mmCIF file with all atom_site columns, all heavy atoms in Angstrom:
data_model
loop_
_atom_site.group_PDB
_atom_site.id
_atom_site.type_symbol
_atom_site.label_atom_id
_atom_site.label_alt_id
_atom_site.label_comp_id
_atom_site.label_asym_id
_atom_site.label_entity_id
_atom_site.label_seq_id
_atom_site.pdbx_PDB_ins_code
_atom_site.Cartn_x
_atom_site.Cartn_y
_atom_site.Cartn_z
_atom_site.occupancy
_atom_site.B_iso_or_equiv
_atom_site.pdbx_formal_charge
_atom_site.auth_seq_id
_atom_site.auth_comp_id
_atom_site.auth_asym_id
_atom_site.auth_atom_id
_atom_site.pdbx_PDB_model_num
ATOM   1  N N   . VAL W 1 20 ? -38.838 -9.227 12.402 1.00 93.00 ? 20  VAL W N   1
ATOM   2  C CA  . VAL W 1 20 ? -38.982 -7.847 12.041 1.00 93.00 ? 20  VAL W CA  1
ATOM   3  C C   . VAL W 1 20 ? -40.075 -7.601 11.093 1.00 93.00 ? 20  VAL W C   1
ATOM   4  O O   . VAL W 1 20 ? -40.824 -6.618 11.179 1.00 93.00 ? 20  VAL W O   1
ATOM   5  C CB  . VAL W 1 20 ? -37.631 -7.272 11.479 1.00 93.00 ? 20  VAL W CB  1
ATOM   6  C CG1 . VAL W 1 20 ? -37.780 -5.837 11.086 1.00 93.00 ? 20  VAL W CG1 1
ATOM   7  C CG2 . VAL W 1 20 ? -36.543 -7.397 12.588 1.00 93.00 ? 20  VAL W CG2 1
ATOM   8  N N   . GLY W 1 41 ? -38.603 1.316  14.756 1.00 92.00 ? 41  GLY W N   1
ATOM   9  C CA  . GLY W 1 41 ? -38.390 -0.102 15.049 1.00 92.00 ? 41  GLY W CA  1
ATOM   10 C C   . GLY W 1 41 ? -39.504 -0.982 14.565 1.00 92.00 ? 41  GLY W C   1
ATOM   11 O O   . GLY W 1 41 ? -39.508 -2.207 14.767 1.00 92.00 ? 41  GLY W O   1
ATOM   12 N N   . GLY W 1 43 ? -40.152 -1.757 11.523 1.00 93.00 ? 43  GLY W N   1
ATOM   13 C CA  . GLY W 1 43 ? -39.753 -2.531 10.358 1.00 93.00 ? 43  GLY W CA  1
ATOM   14 C C   . GLY W 1 43 ? -39.831 -1.827 9.041  1.00 93.00 ? 43  GLY W C   1
ATOM   15 O O   . GLY W 1 43 ? -39.698 -2.450 7.956  1.00 93.00 ? 43  GLY W O   1
ATOM   16 N N   . LYS W 1 44 ? -40.058 -0.508 9.098  1.00 95.00 ? 44  LYS W N   1
ATOM   17 C CA  . LYS W 1 44 ? -40.198 0.258  7.853  1.00 95.00 ? 44  LYS W CA  1
ATOM   18 C C   . LYS W 1 44 ? -38.942 0.163  6.967  1.00 95.00 ? 44  LYS W C   1
ATOM   19 O O   . LYS W 1 44 ? -39.070 -0.137 5.742  1.00 95.00 ? 44  LYS W O   1
ATOM   20 C CB  . LYS W 1 44 ? -40.575 1.723  8.134  1.00 95.00 ? 44  LYS W CB  1
ATOM   21 C CG  . LYS W 1 44 ? -41.680 1.924  9.067  1.00 95.00 ? 44  LYS W CG  1
ATOM   22 C CD  . LYS W 1 44 ? -41.935 3.414  9.320  1.00 95.00 ? 44  LYS W CD  1
ATOM   23 C CE  . LYS W 1 44 ? -40.833 4.148  10.049 1.00 95.00 ? 44  LYS W CE  1
ATOM   24 N NZ  . LYS W 1 44 ? -40.554 3.724  11.431 1.00 95.00 ? 44  LYS W NZ  1
ATOM   25 N N   . SER W 1 45 ? -37.831 0.439  7.538  1.00 95.00 ? 45  SER W N   1
ATOM   26 C CA  . SER W 1 45 ? -36.616 0.433  6.763  1.00 95.00 ? 45  SER W CA  1
ATOM   27 C C   . SER W 1 45 ? -36.295 -0.973 6.201  1.00 95.00 ? 45  SER W C   1
ATOM   28 O O   . SER W 1 45 ? -35.964 -1.125 5.028  1.00 95.00 ? 45  SER W O   1
ATOM   29 C CB  . SER W 1 45 ? -35.396 0.838  7.590  1.00 95.00 ? 45  SER W CB  1
ATOM   30 O OG  . SER W 1 45 ? -35.573 2.177  8.020  1.00 95.00 ? 45  SER W OG  1
ATOM   31 N N   . THR W 1 46 ? -36.495 -1.961 7.070  1.00 95.00 ? 46  THR W N   1
ATOM   32 C CA  . THR W 1 46 ? -36.247 -3.322 6.611  1.00 95.00 ? 46  THR W CA  1
ATOM   33 C C   . THR W 1 46 ? -37.151 -3.700 5.402  1.00 95.00 ? 46  THR W C   1
ATOM   34 O O   . THR W 1 46 ? -36.659 -4.276 4.413  1.00 95.00 ? 46  THR W O   1
ATOM   35 C CB  . THR W 1 46 ? -36.500 -4.317 7.753  1.00 95.00 ? 46  THR W CB  1
ATOM   36 O OG1 . THR W 1 46 ? -35.770 -3.845 8.900  1.00 95.00 ? 46  THR W OG1 1
ATOM   37 C CG2 . THR W 1 46 ? -36.057 -5.690 7.404  1.00 95.00 ? 46  THR W CG2 1
HETATM 38 N N1  . ADP C 2 .  ? -29.060 -5.390 10.247 1.00 77.59 ? 501 ADP C N1  1
HETATM 39 C C1  . ADP C 2 .  ? -29.834 -5.646 11.377 1.00 77.59 ? 501 ADP C C1  1
HETATM 40 N N2  . ADP C 2 .  ? -29.419 -6.543 12.241 1.00 77.59 ? 501 ADP C N2  1
HETATM 41 C C2  . ADP C 2 .  ? -30.141 -6.818 13.333 1.00 77.59 ? 501 ADP C C2  1
HETATM 42 N N3  . ADP C 2 .  ? -31.293 -6.233 13.619 1.00 77.59 ? 501 ADP C N3  1
HETATM 43 C C3  . ADP C 2 .  ? -31.744 -5.288 12.777 1.00 77.59 ? 501 ADP C C3  1
HETATM 44 C C4  . ADP C 2 .  ? -31.013 -4.939 11.611 1.00 77.59 ? 501 ADP C C4  1
HETATM 45 N N4  . ADP C 2 .  ? -31.701 -3.961 10.964 1.00 77.59 ? 501 ADP C N4  1
HETATM 46 C C5  . ADP C 2 .  ? -32.769 -3.714 11.686 1.00 77.59 ? 501 ADP C C5  1
HETATM 47 N N5  . ADP C 2 .  ? -32.827 -4.494 12.803 1.00 77.59 ? 501 ADP C N5  1
HETATM 48 C C6  . ADP C 2 .  ? -33.879 -4.561 13.795 1.00 77.59 ? 501 ADP C C6  1
HETATM 49 O O1  . ADP C 2 .  ? -35.118 -4.680 13.139 1.00 77.59 ? 501 ADP C O1  1
HETATM 50 C C7  . ADP C 2 .  ? -36.088 -3.909 13.736 1.00 77.59 ? 501 ADP C C7  1
HETATM 51 C C8  . ADP C 2 .  ? -36.740 -3.028 12.669 1.00 77.59 ? 501 ADP C C8  1
HETATM 52 O O2  . ADP C 2 .  ? -35.790 -2.119 12.281 1.00 77.59 ? 501 ADP C O2  1
HETATM 53 P P1  . ADP C 2 .  ? -36.107 -1.046 11.117 1.00 77.59 ? 501 ADP C P1  1
HETATM 54 O O3  . ADP C 2 .  ? -36.549 -1.788 9.911  1.00 77.59 ? 501 ADP C O3  1
HETATM 55 O O4  . ADP C 2 .  ? -34.887 -0.265 10.932 1.00 77.59 ? 501 ADP C O4  1
HETATM 56 O O5  . ADP C 2 .  ? -37.210 -0.216 11.725 1.00 77.59 ? 501 ADP C O5  1
HETATM 57 P P2  . ADP C 2 .  ? -37.749 1.263  11.356 1.00 77.59 ? 501 ADP C P2  1
HETATM 58 O O6  . ADP C 2 .  ? -37.070 1.636  10.100 1.00 77.59 ? 501 ADP C O6  1
HETATM 59 O O7  . ADP C 2 .  ? -39.184 1.155  11.241 1.00 77.59 ? 501 ADP C O7  1
HETATM 60 O O8  . ADP C 2 .  ? -37.334 2.108  12.502 1.00 77.59 ? 501 ADP C O8  1
HETATM 61 C C9  . ADP C 2 .  ? -35.445 -3.151 14.886 1.00 77.59 ? 501 ADP C C9  1
HETATM 62 O O9  . ADP C 2 .  ? -35.737 -3.818 16.034 1.00 77.59 ? 501 ADP C O9  1
HETATM 63 C C10 . ADP C 2 .  ? -34.001 -3.227 14.551 1.00 77.59 ? 501 ADP C C10 1
HETATM 64 O O10 . ADP C 2 .  ? -33.253 -3.269 15.723 1.00 77.59 ? 501 ADP C O10 1
#
Side-chain angles (χ1 to χ4, degrees):
Chain W
V20 177
K44 307 179 297 294
S45 296
T46 307

